[in-house]
Structure formats: structure tokens, C-alpha cells
Amino acid sequence: MSPHLLNQPLRLPNGTVLRNRLVKSAMSEALGTYDNHVTPRLVTLYRRWAKSGIGLLMTGNVMIDRRALGEPGNVVIEDESDLPLLRQWAGAATEQGAAIWVQLNHPGKQSPKGLNARNISPSAVPFRADLTNFFETPHEATEAEIEDVIQRFGRSAAICKKAGFSGVQIHGAHGYLVSQFLSPHHNQRTDGWGGTPEKRRRFVLAVYAEIRRQVGPEFPVGIKLNSADFQRGGMDEAESAATIRALADAGIDLIEVSGGTYEAPAMTGVTAKKASTVEREAYFLSFAETLRSTVNVPLMVTGGFRSAAGMNAALASGALDLVGIARLLAIDPDAPARLLGGHDSPQRVQPIRTGIGLVDRAAMMEVMWYTRQLKRIGDGGEPRPGESGLWAFLASVAHSGWGSFRTRRLRA
Ligand SMILES: Cc1cc2nc3c(=O)[nH]c(=O)nc-3n(C[C@H](O)[C@H](O)[C@H](O)COP(=O)(O)O)c2cc1C
């Protein structure tokens, strides 16, 4: 298979040029301090990835509010106190010709029990019964809280620009706050923020508009969105497509398509897959194909891509402009060099199992196992693709409990 398509540069509508079509999708590193500052490990990790020749690196989700963490060790950008290290982080990528965008997130209700003092969501909808041990029922966000979150997205984006990052991405997928507003299941409001598809998408449009206001017209701003939530009563493909059209009309620079939530983790392929999906690797390709005919905005698809042939075939289909990969880069940080040369990585992304049913059905295990590999690379070492799932789970649970405790103590 010719490596030609994956190697082609892409010019975004605002003039930004990406050196090729391969993108590292966001993976939460949890490599911040327990009081949520940037660490040199992030610089080391991103320097390693940038050296692989990849075109664009999306950072793992960075929080916009210290009071609203998704997990211990998140980086928070809400003021300029970390500018020197943020500049090093951005420089680790850009000095080697890769672009680096910061993924900005607010977790809303999707935050482990006990980590934050108050979790907000559009409505006070409890989690699925078997997840209530891990997550608590959120508070319905007040009007003032909603306005505050919108402002914060803009402020964090402006700091990223000042620090030398090449762009930002709104995390609008996977069941976090933006995704909660878009979901008829999580958003049961009857005021100006819910009740109809137009009102549900008002929040994401307001977040985008505020970021744009604070970073100006030239700075790239993208979003990661679910094709669907894969959850009863959640956002469906038609509503997602309508939201994407509205964002495209508003001038967004890049749409990344994913899917699922912690309650229905379609993003990592844990849910059942159709034979056609397995054959074409990527989980959300057919949605991108339907989008293509209705929106004129660069599209990226993430989830399931493994081989150079699969990536080039997807690009050849014309359904997308950029190929997103995540887990493969945690077990083989040098994979882009091979893929761009038309060769596959010797490493295989396999389901991570602990043998504990509830854990294996949730996306949490995957995240924990891969996060451990990211830490190793951040420490200047090598990942361990053969690490036992059960061992990684037990070590991560202990670490996460300790992390929540430390985070609360440092905040007190
Ligand atoms: C450890 C880990 C952390 C992740 N963190 C994020 C995140 O912060 N933001 C996000 O949008 N997706 C996150 N994801 C999802 C990935 O970006 C991606 O959508 C998913 O892994 C499917 O792509 P893949 O099949 O290439 O791994 C994470 C995945 C893993 C494994």
C-alpha cells in the first residue's frame, strides 16, 4: 500500500498547514501534579511523540477549572502561573515540526466520587445503577455556573495561545459536560439550555463563540464530538450531524468524530462491532461518510485505526481528512514513523482484561492500563505492552484513591 495519502500535508481553511494526515488523539496523561500543575514528564512524553514524525498532537484533556477535575493529576489551565512549563510543553512538539493543540475539558458529572466538592451537569440525572459506586448524582448547574464555564473555556484557550500551542480542541465527546448538554438523557432542562435540539446545542455554540472571541479569527479551534452516545435516550446521529453543521457554520476549523460515554464506552470499541466496522478498522467511518455530503469542514475520525493500509484506504474513500490514533501510541510511541512509511507497528492494540466483569465492561480499565504506559514514556522509559491487566487495575485503583486524597488535602 502506498504511504502517499497519509503523508500528504493538509491546509485547514484558516491557512494552517499540518505536515501530514496522522494525528495523535487525546489521551489523558494524568501527569500533572496533585495540585494540577504541568510537569516536565509531559514535555518528555510529547517530545518523544513529536520525534516520530506525526502531524498533529492533541494533548490529553486539560481542565478549565481546578474545582472540576476528571481525575487526580489532571493539568488545569485557569491562570498564567504555569506559562514557563506550558511553553516548554508546546515547544517540545512545535520545535520538531509537529502541531500541538490542547484539548480543553470540563468533566461535569463524569468525575470519580469524592474528587470534587460539587459536580455540576445540566440536570441532576443519576448514573446507571451499577456505576453509582464510582460516580455521584450531580447538581443541576445554575445559570451563573453555566456562564462561568463558558468564560473559562475562552480564558484557558487564550492562555494556550500565549504559551505557543498551535490550537485548541473542545472536548465535546465521551459524556463530559459539553456532551452532557447535547444529550437528551443528561440534559432535561426546560429553560434556554435544554428542551429542544437547538437549545441543547446552545451551550457548545456559546463555548466555541467565547473561545473564538478570546483567541481571534486565525487561531485553530476544533472539537471532538460523538457521532452518537450509544446510550438509551442519548444524542443520536441526526442530532450530532445538526450540531456539527451549526459549528461548521460558526467557523470551527476541525471536527473529530468519536462516540460513547463511560456508561456506554463505544470510543474504545468495548461495545459490539459490526463485521463491516471490523473490516474497515475504524468505528465511526460510516457516520463520517454521511457527514461529508452535508458539511464542508475538515473531518478527523478516531477509534479503531491500526494499519497503514486501513488508514490510507479510509483517506482514499474521501470520508475524512485526518486519521486519529490513540492507544497504539501508548504502546509504540514511534509508530508514526512506520505508518507514514507504509508499514505497520509490531505492537497490537488488544482488549485489556482483569477478569472482573464490571471492570472489563467499562472504559475505565482501558484508560488506567494505557495511562500507566504514558507515565513510563514520560519518565523517559519504554512502555510495557505485555503488562497484566489485573495488576495494572489494582495498582491504579490504589494510586487513584491516594491521588484523590492528596488532591483534596492540597485544596483544603
Ligand atoms: C488512556 C486513555 C485516555 C484517554 N483520554 C482521552 C481524553 O482525555 N480525551 C479524549 O477525547 N479521548 C480520550 N481517550 C479516547 C481516545 O482519544 C480515542 O478516542 C480512543 O482510544 C479510540 O482510539 P484508538 O482506537 O486509536 O485507541 C482516551 C483513551 C485512552 C486509552
Side-chain angles (χ1 to χ4, degrees):
M1 167 63 69
S2 151
H4 180 68
L5 291 177
L6 210 47
N7 270 299
Q8 264 182 8
L10 177 71
R11 180 183 289 271
L12 297 178
N14 69 2
T16 301
V17 177
L18 303 176
R19 65 178 166 181
N20 57 54
R21 305 301 180 101
L22 195 57
V23 183
K24 177 213 153 264
S25 192
M27 272 186 288
S28 187
E29 309 88 5
L31 286 179
T33 61
Y34 286 135
D35 53 355
N36 313 107
H37 291 286
V38 183
T39 62
R41 287 160 131 186
L42 287 161
V43 180
T44 305
L45 175 61
Y46 280 77
R47 183 168 293 129
R48 175 83 185 263
W49 276 326
K51 268 191 192 147
S52 72
I54 198 157
L56 170 59
L57 293 160
M58 299 287 182
T59 69
N61 63 173
V62 162
M63 298 298 155
I64 57 163
D65 186 343
R66 209 167 289 280
R67 298 162 306 174
L69 304 176
E71 62 205 312
N74 280 150
V75 168
V76 175
I77 301 181
E78 57 179 10
D79 56 38
E80 297 189 3
S81 57
D82 273 348
L83 259 186
L85 265 172
L86 284 171
R87 287 200 166 110
Q88 283 185 38
W89 186 4
T94 56
E95 281 158 15
Q96 302 189 63
I100 177 166
W101 296 13
V102 176
Q103 188 187 58
L104 297 175
N105 193 18
H106 186 298
K109 71 198 286 184
Q110 222 167 236
S111 178
K113 222 172 197 171
L115 182 60
N116 302 317
R118 175 181 160 87
N119 290 329
I120 57 165
S121 185
S123 306
V125 177
F127 275 81
R128 210 178 62 200
D130 57 348
L131 290 178
T132 51
N133 281 336
F134 303 108
F135 301 104
E136 56 209 357
T137 302
H139 297 271
E140 179 180 306
T142 63
E143 187 74 28
E145 283 171 327
I146 294 174
E147 292 298 343
D148 177 60
V149 172
I150 293 168
Q151 296 296 317
R152 281 172 175 275
F153 266 104
R155 168 111 183 102
S156 302
I159 297 168
C160 293
K161 182 180 175 188
K162 188 167 181 180
F165 286 95
S166 338
V168 291
Q169 183 189 53
I170 302 163
H171 195 348
H174 303 170
Y176 294 103
L177 187 66
V178 172
S179 162
Q180 287 158 35
F181 267 93
L182 289 169
S183 156
H185 170 73
H186 296 293
N187 181 353
Q188 300 184 357
R189 300 177 80 101
T190 52
D191 60 3
W193 302 101
T196 65
E198 291 74 22
K199 289 181 182 169
R200 282 193 287 275
R201 77 177 72 108
R202 191 178 146 214
F203 180 71
V204 66
L205 288 168
V207 166
Y208 170 69
E210 180 59 19
I211 292 178
R212 184 55 80 205
R213 193 183 71 75
Q214 295 209 32
V215 298
E218 307 296 330
F219 193 66
V221 181
I223 188 163
K224 186 168 183 174
L225 275 175
N226 280 355
S227 59
D229 292 343
F230 297 87
Q231 185 172 24
R232 190 172 302 134
M235 183 187 67
D236 61 18
E237 290 197 352
E239 202 166 323
S240 170
T243 301
I244 290 170
R245 276 194 295 277
L247 285 161
D249 289 346
I252 201 136
D253 296 299
L254 176 66
I255 305 277
E256 178 183 358
V257 175
S258 184
T261 69
Y262 276 26
E263 293 181 292
M267 59 285 212
T268 50
V270 173
T271 44
K273 286 178 285 175
K274 285 193 254 170
S276 60
T277 308
V278 174
E279 194 182 308
R280 299 196 307 170
E281 297 189 355
Y283 313 141
F284 309 109
L285 213 47
S286 60
F287 178 70
E289 278 162 2
T290 50
L291 269 185
R292 199 48 146 188
S293 53
T294 60
V295 287
N296 193 16
V297 61
L299 290 178
M300 163 174 165
V301 174
T302 299
F305 279 115
R306 301 291 173 255
S307 68
M311 295 173 198
N312 280 302
L315 288 167
S317 78
L320 60 148
D321 303 286
L322 293 169
V323 168
I325 53 172
R327 285 168 290 179
L328 181 60
L329 293 175
I331 51 175
D332 181 2
D334 309 317
R338 288 174 193 268
L339 293 166
L340 291 164
H343 306 291
D344 292 343
S345 165
Q347 299 302 337
R348 284 270 154 265
V349 173
Q350 310 276 8
I352 308 298
R353 301 270 183 251
T354 60
I356 307 167
L358 174 62
V359 174
D360 291 345
R361 281 192 298 278
M364 286 174 291
M365 180 57 223
E366 292 269 328
V367 171
M368 286 175 181
W369 190 90
Y370 284 98
T371 305
R372 288 170 63 80
Q373 312 312 326
L374 300 183
K375 283 200 171 63
R376 295 197 169 104
I377 309 170
D379 283 335
E382 295 299 323
R384 270 188 219 149
E387 185 170 40
S388 139
L390 182 59
W391 164 248
F393 173 70
L394 296 173
S396 299
V397 168
H399 183 77
S400 168
W402 169 245
S404 292
F405 172 74
R406 290 290 301 153
T407 303
R408 285 196 306 270
R409 282 294 293 271
L410 285 167
R411 206 190 271 143

PDB file of all heavy atoms in Angstrom, residues 189-212:
ATOM      1  N   ARG A 189     -33.319  19.944  30.999  1.00  0.00           N
ATOM      2  CA  ARG A 189     -33.712  21.319  31.326  1.00  0.00           C
ATOM      3  C   ARG A 189     -34.851  21.772  30.422  1.00  0.00           C
ATOM      4  O   ARG A 189     -34.985  21.309  29.281  1.00  0.00           O
ATOM      5  CB  ARG A 189     -32.527  22.269  31.159  1.00  0.00           C
ATOM      6  CG  ARG A 189     -31.348  21.937  32.035  1.00  0.00           C
ATOM      7  CD  ARG A 189     -30.205  22.871  31.743  1.00  0.00           C
ATOM      8  NE  ARG A 189     -30.373  24.153  32.385  1.00  0.00           N
ATOM      9  CZ  ARG A 189     -29.762  24.533  33.500  1.00  0.00           C
ATOM     10  NH1 ARG A 189     -28.948  23.698  34.125  1.00  0.00           N
ATOM     11  NH2 ARG A 189     -29.958  25.728  33.998  1.00  0.00           N
ATOM     12  N   THR A 190     -35.601  22.741  30.942  1.00  0.00           N
ATOM     13  CA  THR A 190     -36.683  23.306  30.134  1.00  0.00           C
ATOM     14  C   THR A 190     -36.490  24.817  29.975  1.00  0.00           C
ATOM     15  O   THR A 190     -37.375  25.508  29.507  1.00  0.00           O
ATOM     16  CB  THR A 190     -38.047  23.019  30.790  1.00  0.00           C
ATOM     17  OG1 THR A 190     -37.980  23.458  32.153  1.00  0.00           O
ATOM     18  CG2 THR A 190     -38.396  21.543  30.751  1.00  0.00           C
ATOM     19  N   ASP A 191     -35.285  25.308  30.395  1.00  0.00           N
ATOM     20  CA  ASP A 191     -35.007  26.741  30.219  1.00  0.00           C
ATOM     21  C   ASP A 191     -34.310  26.962  28.862  1.00  0.00           C
ATOM     22  O   ASP A 191     -34.443  26.146  27.955  1.00  0.00           O
ATOM     23  CB  ASP A 191     -34.164  27.269  31.389  1.00  0.00           C
ATOM     24  CG  ASP A 191     -32.822  26.542  31.511  1.00  0.00           C
ATOM     25  OD1 ASP A 191     -32.523  25.677  30.653  1.00  0.00           O
ATOM     26  OD2 ASP A 191     -32.059  26.836  32.453  1.00  0.00           O
ATOM     27  N   GLY A 192     -33.525  27.985  28.750  1.00  0.00           N
ATOM     28  CA  GLY A 192     -32.872  28.292  27.475  1.00  0.00           C
ATOM     29  C   GLY A 192     -31.780  27.318  27.072  1.00  0.00           C
ATOM     30  O   GLY A 192     -31.234  27.398  25.969  1.00  0.00           O
ATOM     31  N   TRP A 193     -31.422  26.363  27.963  1.00  0.00           N
ATOM     32  CA  TRP A 193     -30.304  25.448  27.698  1.00  0.00           C
ATOM     33  C   TRP A 193     -30.750  24.025  27.402  1.00  0.00           C
ATOM     34  O   TRP A 193     -29.916  23.119  27.293  1.00  0.00           O
ATOM     35  CB  TRP A 193     -29.342  25.429  28.882  1.00  0.00           C
ATOM     36  CG  TRP A 193     -28.785  26.773  29.231  1.00  0.00           C
ATOM     37  CD1 TRP A 193     -29.188  27.586  30.256  1.00  0.00           C
ATOM     38  CD2 TRP A 193     -27.742  27.484  28.549  1.00  0.00           C
ATOM     39  NE1 TRP A 193     -28.461  28.746  30.260  1.00  0.00           N
ATOM     40  CE2 TRP A 193     -27.559  28.709  29.223  1.00  0.00           C
ATOM     41  CE3 TRP A 193     -26.944  27.211  27.433  1.00  0.00           C
ATOM     42  CZ2 TRP A 193     -26.613  29.651  28.818  1.00  0.00           C
ATOM     43  CZ3 TRP A 193     -25.999  28.144  27.038  1.00  0.00           C
ATOM     44  CH2 TRP A 193     -25.848  29.343  27.724  1.00  0.00           C
ATOM     45  N   GLY A 194     -32.034  23.792  27.304  1.00  0.00           N
ATOM     46  CA  GLY A 194     -32.489  22.417  27.056  1.00  0.00           C
ATOM     47  C   GLY A 194     -33.944  22.376  26.628  1.00  0.00           C
ATOM     48  O   GLY A 194     -34.638  23.389  26.641  1.00  0.00           O
ATOM     49  N   GLY A 195     -34.384  21.182  26.235  1.00  0.00           N
ATOM     50  CA  GLY A 195     -35.792  21.026  25.854  1.00  0.00           C
ATOM     51  C   GLY A 195     -35.977  20.805  24.365  1.00  0.00           C
ATOM     52  O   GLY A 195     -36.903  20.114  23.951  1.00  0.00           O
ATOM     53  N   THR A 196     -35.087  21.363  23.542  1.00  0.00           N
ATOM     54  CA  THR A 196     -35.123  21.135  22.084  1.00  0.00           C
ATOM     55  C   THR A 196     -33.678  20.936  21.617  1.00  0.00           C
ATOM     56  O   THR A 196     -32.739  21.355  22.310  1.00  0.00           O
ATOM     57  CB  THR A 196     -35.687  22.362  21.326  1.00  0.00           C
ATOM     58  OG1 THR A 196     -34.765  23.457  21.500  1.00  0.00           O
ATOM     59  CG2 THR A 196     -37.066  22.760  21.827  1.00  0.00           C
ATOM     60  N   PRO A 197     -33.479  20.346  20.444  1.00  0.00           N
ATOM     61  CA  PRO A 197     -32.100  20.181  19.942  1.00  0.00           C
ATOM     62  C   PRO A 197     -31.370  21.519  19.853  1.00  0.00           C
ATOM     63  O   PRO A 197     -30.190  21.615  20.194  1.00  0.00           O
ATOM     64  CB  PRO A 197     -32.295  19.564  18.553  1.00  0.00           C
ATOM     65  CG  PRO A 197     -33.609  18.882  18.613  1.00  0.00           C
ATOM     66  CD  PRO A 197     -34.467  19.692  19.555  1.00  0.00           C
ATOM     67  N   GLU A 198     -32.064  22.563  19.429  1.00  0.00           N
ATOM     68  CA  GLU A 198     -31.424  23.883  19.282  1.00  0.00           C
ATOM     69  C   GLU A 198     -30.944  24.392  20.638  1.00  0.00           C
ATOM     70  O   GLU A 198     -29.847  24.929  20.762  1.00  0.00           O
ATOM     71  CB  GLU A 198     -32.404  24.912  18.685  1.00  0.00           C
ATOM     72  CG  GLU A 198     -32.783  24.664  17.227  1.00  0.00           C
ATOM     73  CD  GLU A 198     -33.751  23.499  17.049  1.00  0.00           C
ATOM     74  OE1 GLU A 198     -34.460  23.142  18.039  1.00  0.00           O
ATOM     75  OE2 GLU A 198     -33.791  22.910  15.957  1.00  0.00           O
ATOM     76  N   LYS A 199     -31.775  24.225  21.654  1.00  0.00           N
ATOM     77  CA  LYS A 199     -31.382  24.713  22.990  1.00  0.00           C
ATOM     78  C   LYS A 199     -30.285  23.841  23.592  1.00  0.00           C
ATOM     79  O   LYS A 199     -29.412  24.330  24.305  1.00  0.00           O
ATOM     80  CB  LYS A 199     -32.598  24.772  23.906  1.00  0.00           C
ATOM     81  CG  LYS A 199     -33.568  25.892  23.534  1.00  0.00           C
ATOM     82  CD  LYS A 199     -34.725  25.905  24.482  1.00  0.00           C
ATOM     83  CE  LYS A 199     -35.724  26.990  24.096  1.00  0.00           C
ATOM     84  NZ  LYS A 199     -36.980  26.844  24.856  1.00  0.00           N
ATOM     85  N   ARG A 200     -30.303  22.538  23.321  1.00  0.00           N
ATOM     86  CA  ARG A 200     -29.247  21.664  23.852  1.00  0.00           C
ATOM     87  C   ARG A 200     -27.895  22.026  23.246  1.00  0.00           C
ATOM     88  O   ARG A 200     -26.859  21.887  23.876  1.00  0.00           O
ATOM     89  CB  ARG A 200     -29.573  20.191  23.560  1.00  0.00           C
ATOM     90  CG  ARG A 200     -30.612  19.615  24.490  1.00  0.00           C
ATOM     91  CD  ARG A 200     -30.677  18.098  24.391  1.00  0.00           C
ATOM     92  NE  ARG A 200     -31.292  17.615  23.179  1.00  0.00           N
ATOM     93  CZ  ARG A 200     -32.600  17.472  23.007  1.00  0.00           C
ATOM     94  NH1 ARG A 200     -33.434  17.779  23.976  1.00  0.00           N
ATOM     95  NH2 ARG A 200     -33.079  17.022  21.869  1.00  0.00           N
ATOM     96  N   ARG A 201     -27.899  22.473  21.976  1.00  0.00           N
ATOM     97  CA  ARG A 201     -26.604  22.776  21.362  1.00  0.00           C
ATOM     98  C   ARG A 201     -26.170  24.224  21.607  1.00  0.00           C
ATOM     99  O   ARG A 201     -25.096  24.633  21.180  1.00  0.00           O
ATOM    100  CB  ARG A 201     -26.618  22.420  19.873  1.00  0.00           C
ATOM    101  CG  ARG A 201     -27.321  23.356  18.941  1.00  0.00           C
ATOM    102  CD  ARG A 201     -27.155  22.869  17.500  1.00  0.00           C
ATOM    103  NE  ARG A 201     -27.941  21.690  17.249  1.00  0.00           N
ATOM    104  CZ  ARG A 201     -29.056  21.672  16.500  1.00  0.00           C
ATOM    105  NH1 ARG A 201     -29.477  22.749  15.896  1.00  0.00           N
ATOM    106  NH2 ARG A 201     -29.729  20.553  16.330  1.00  0.00           N
ATOM    107  N   ARG A 202     -27.007  24.986  22.312  1.00  0.00           N
ATOM    108  CA  ARG A 202     -26.665  26.384  22.584  1.00  0.00           C
ATOM    109  C   ARG A 202     -25.376  26.478  23.420  1.00  0.00           C
ATOM    110  O   ARG A 202     -24.556  27.371  23.216  1.00  0.00           O
ATOM    111  CB  ARG A 202     -27.840  27.028  23.342  1.00  0.00           C
ATOM    112  CG  ARG A 202     -27.717  28.514  23.445  1.00  0.00           C
ATOM    113  CD  ARG A 202     -28.918  29.102  24.159  1.00  0.00           C
ATOM    114  NE  ARG A 202     -28.487  30.243  24.941  1.00  0.00           N
ATOM    115  CZ  ARG A 202     -28.998  30.604  26.095  1.00  0.00           C
ATOM    116  NH1 ARG A 202     -30.000  29.919  26.637  1.00  0.00           N
ATOM    117  NH2 ARG A 202     -28.531  31.650  26.728  1.00  0.00           N
ATOM    118  N   PHE A 203     -25.197  25.535  24.349  1.00  0.00           N
ATOM    119  CA  PHE A 203     -24.015  25.581  25.229  1.00  0.00           C
ATOM    120  C   PHE A 203     -22.729  25.412  24.417  1.00  0.00           C
ATOM    121  O   PHE A 203     -21.796  26.213  24.538  1.00  0.00           O
ATOM    122  CB  PHE A 203     -24.126  24.510  26.317  1.00  0.00           C
ATOM    123  CG  PHE A 203     -22.959  24.483  27.267  1.00  0.00           C
ATOM    124  CD1 PHE A 203     -22.767  25.491  28.196  1.00  0.00           C
ATOM    125  CD2 PHE A 203     -22.031  23.444  27.226  1.00  0.00           C
ATOM    126  CE1 PHE A 203     -21.682  25.479  29.067  1.00  0.00           C
ATOM    127  CE2 PHE A 203     -20.952  23.421  28.099  1.00  0.00           C
ATOM    128  CZ  PHE A 203     -20.775  24.436  29.011  1.00  0.00           C
ATOM    129  N   VAL A 204     -22.675  24.394  23.568  1.00  0.00           N
ATOM    130  CA  VAL A 204     -21.428  24.175  22.816  1.00  0.00           C
ATOM    131  C   VAL A 204     -21.161  25.336  21.867  1.00  0.00           C
ATOM    132  O   VAL A 204     -20.011  25.754  21.677  1.00  0.00           O
ATOM    133  CB  VAL A 204     -21.431  22.803  22.083  1.00  0.00           C
ATOM    134  CG1 VAL A 204     -22.463  22.712  20.989  1.00  0.00           C
ATOM    135  CG2 VAL A 204     -20.056  22.524  21.498  1.00  0.00           C
ATOM    136  N   LEU A 205     -22.208  25.891  21.302  1.00  0.00           N
ATOM    137  CA  LEU A 205     -22.013  27.034  20.399  1.00  0.00           C
ATOM    138  C   LEU A 205     -21.511  28.252  21.186  1.00  0.00           C
ATOM    139  O   LEU A 205     -20.674  29.015  20.695  1.00  0.00           O
ATOM    140  CB  LEU A 205     -23.306  27.354  19.651  1.00  0.00           C
ATOM    141  CG  LEU A 205     -23.664  26.315  18.569  1.00  0.00           C
ATOM    142  CD1 LEU A 205     -25.083  26.510  18.068  1.00  0.00           C
ATOM    143  CD2 LEU A 205     -22.675  26.379  17.397  1.00  0.00           C
ATOM    144  N   ALA A 206     -21.997  28.402  22.412  1.00  0.00           N
ATOM    145  CA  ALA A 206     -21.547  29.521  23.252  1.00  0.00           C
ATOM    146  C   ALA A 206     -20.086  29.326  23.657  1.00  0.00           C
ATOM    147  O   ALA A 206     -19.298  30.280  23.687  1.00  0.00           O
ATOM    148  CB  ALA A 206     -22.436  29.635  24.488  1.00  0.00           C
ATOM    149  N   VAL A 207     -19.707  28.083  23.961  1.00  0.00           N
ATOM    150  CA  VAL A 207     -18.308  27.788  24.316  1.00  0.00           C
ATOM    151  C   VAL A 207     -17.405  28.110  23.130  1.00  0.00           C
ATOM    152  O   VAL A 207     -16.375  28.782  23.260  1.00  0.00           O
ATOM    153  CB  VAL A 207     -18.158  26.302  24.747  1.00  0.00           C
ATOM    154  CG1 VAL A 207     -16.681  25.890  24.796  1.00  0.00           C
ATOM    155  CG2 VAL A 207     -18.823  26.065  26.099  1.00  0.00           C
ATOM    156  N   TYR A 208     -17.808  27.650  21.947  1.00  0.00           N
ATOM    157  CA  TYR A 208     -16.997  27.924  20.749  1.00  0.00           C
ATOM    158  C   TYR A 208     -16.882  29.443  20.524  1.00  0.00           C
ATOM    159  O   TYR A 208     -15.780  29.965  20.275  1.00  0.00           O
ATOM    160  CB  TYR A 208     -17.585  27.236  19.504  1.00  0.00           C
ATOM    161  CG  TYR A 208     -16.897  27.715  18.260  1.00  0.00           C
ATOM    162  CD1 TYR A 208     -15.562  27.378  18.019  1.00  0.00           C
ATOM    163  CD2 TYR A 208     -17.532  28.571  17.365  1.00  0.00           C
ATOM    164  CE1 TYR A 208     -14.888  27.872  16.913  1.00  0.00           C
ATOM    165  CE2 TYR A 208     -16.861  29.069  16.254  1.00  0.00           C
ATOM    166  CZ  TYR A 208     -15.540  28.715  16.032  1.00  0.00           C
ATOM    167  OH  TYR A 208     -14.866  29.223  14.958  1.00  0.00           O
ATOM    168  N   ALA A 209     -18.012  30.155  20.610  1.00  0.00           N
ATOM    169  CA  ALA A 209     -18.009  31.606  20.336  1.00  0.00           C
ATOM    170  C   ALA A 209     -17.105  32.338  21.322  1.00  0.00           C
ATOM    171  O   ALA A 209     -16.371  33.260  20.943  1.00  0.00           O
ATOM    172  CB  ALA A 209     -19.436  32.143  20.406  1.00  0.00           C
ATOM    173  N   GLU A 210     -17.123  31.929  22.579  1.00  0.00           N
ATOM    174  CA  GLU A 210     -16.299  32.603  23.587  1.00  0.00           C
ATOM    175  C   GLU A 210     -14.808  32.328  23.346  1.00  0.00           C
ATOM    176  O   GLU A 210     -13.970  33.225  23.485  1.00  0.00           O
ATOM    177  CB  GLU A 210     -16.719  32.161  24.995  1.00  0.00           C
ATOM    178  CG  GLU A 210     -15.928  32.785  26.126  1.00  0.00           C
ATOM    179  CD  GLU A 210     -16.009  34.317  26.154  1.00  0.00           C
ATOM    180  OE1 GLU A 210     -16.929  34.890  25.548  1.00  0.00           O
ATOM    181  OE2 GLU A 210     -15.113  34.931  26.788  1.00  0.00           O
ATOM    182  N   ILE A 211     -14.490  31.094  22.990  1.00  0.00           N
ATOM    183  CA  ILE A 211     -13.086  30.785  22.661  1.00  0.00           C
ATOM    184  C   ILE A 211     -12.658  31.646  21.471  1.00  0.00           C
ATOM    185  O   ILE A 211     -11.617  32.300  21.497  1.00  0.00           O
ATOM    186  CB  ILE A 211     -12.905  29.282  22.349  1.00  0.00           C
ATOM    187  CG1 ILE A 211     -13.118  28.450  23.616  1.00  0.00           C
ATOM    188  CG2 ILE A 211     -11.517  29.018  21.766  1.00  0.00           C
ATOM    189  CD1 ILE A 211     -13.006  26.950  23.409  1.00  0.00           C
ATOM    190  N   ARG A 212     -13.475  31.653  20.439  1.00  0.00           N
ATOM    191  CA  ARG A 212     -13.128  32.421  19.233  1.00  0.00           C
ATOM    192  C   ARG A 212     -12.927  33.893  19.580  1.00  0.00           C
ATOM    193  O   ARG A 212     -12.005  34.550  19.111  1.00  0.00           O
ATOM    194  CB  ARG A 212     -14.240  32.225  18.188  1.00  0.00           C
ATOM    195  CG  ARG A 212     -13.998  32.865  16.872  1.00  0.00           C
ATOM    196  CD  ARG A 212     -12.677  32.460  16.232  1.00  0.00           C
ATOM    197  NE  ARG A 212     -12.674  31.181  15.556  1.00  0.00           N
ATOM    198  CZ  ARG A 212     -11.572  30.444  15.366  1.00  0.00           C
ATOM    199  NH1 ARG A 212     -10.395  30.854  15.802  1.00  0.00           N
ATOM    200  NH2 ARG A 212     -11.632  29.294  14.743  1.00  0.00           N
TER     201      ARG A 212
END
